Amino acid sequence: QVQLVESGGGLVQAGGSLRLSCAASGRTFSSSAMGWFRQAPGKEREFVAGINWRGGKTSYDDSVKGRFTISRDNAKNTVYLQMNSLKPEDTAVYYCAADQTLRIGVPIASYDYDYWGQGTQVTVSS
């Protein structure tokens, strides 16, 4: 069982930065791929970024490449999402997710993830 708690969301002006954190409990964190997803009002939940269990592989949606960076600290059971050059279209609830299947790559489909956090709101004003 893994429990995930996101933090770091808030209101920021366009062009600004935020860093989201996801603290995980459970002994399997270090063997879990982790992902960040987001959901804007009236839209489907979408993949933002993911990182494999060792941290050596990452994957990003094209809309955030070059602006967002995912990282993890297995000693602290925490995964981060550094968001720079934020745009109003980045406004959404951001969710952290954990994949319990040990795999080499980074899953990008929401159905590959087994545990989800409660979400944190990110609002970017123009």
Side-chain angles (χ1 to χ4, degrees):
Q1 187 80 7
V2 176
Q3 293 184 323
L4 305 171
V5 179
E6 302 98 334
S7 61
L11 173 64
V12 64
Q13 288 189 331
S17 298
L18 284 174
R19 188 175 83 153
L20 304 183
S21 298
C22 174
S25 63
R27 291 181 290 178
T28 59
F29 173 81
S30 61
S31 62
S32 299
M34 301 295 296
W36 286 97
F37 289 74
R38 66 186 179 188
Q39 188 167 19
K43 294 188 176 182
E44 298 285 320
R45 187 173 298 188
E46 63 178 7
F47 174 79
V48 175
I51 188 167
N52 74 336
W53 68 279
R54 294 184 65 177
K57 291 184 182 291
T58 58
S59 182
Y60 298 92
D61 183 76
D62 286 345
S63 64
V64 306
K65 278 181 182 176
R67 300 188 298 123
F68 290 11
T69 302
I70 188 171
S71 61
R72 67 189 297 161
D73 185 338
N74 286 348
K76 295 183 178 179
N77 279 12
T78 302
V79 63
Y80 305 97
L81 185 67
Q82 177 67 44
M83 305 186 296
N84 299 328
S85 302
L86 282 161
K87 305 175 181 180
E89 51 264 43
D90 294 319
T91 295
V93 177
Y94 283 70
Y95 297 91
C96 172
D99 168 26
Q100 292 290 274
T101 301
L102 187 62
R103 50 180 113 223
I104 297 174
V106 180
I108 64 171
S110 59
Y111 56 74
D112 282 326
Y113 289 85
D114 304 289
Y115 300 102
W116 294 82
Q118 82 289 349
T120 185
Q121 177 70 47
V122 171
T123 302
V124 184
S125 64
S126 57

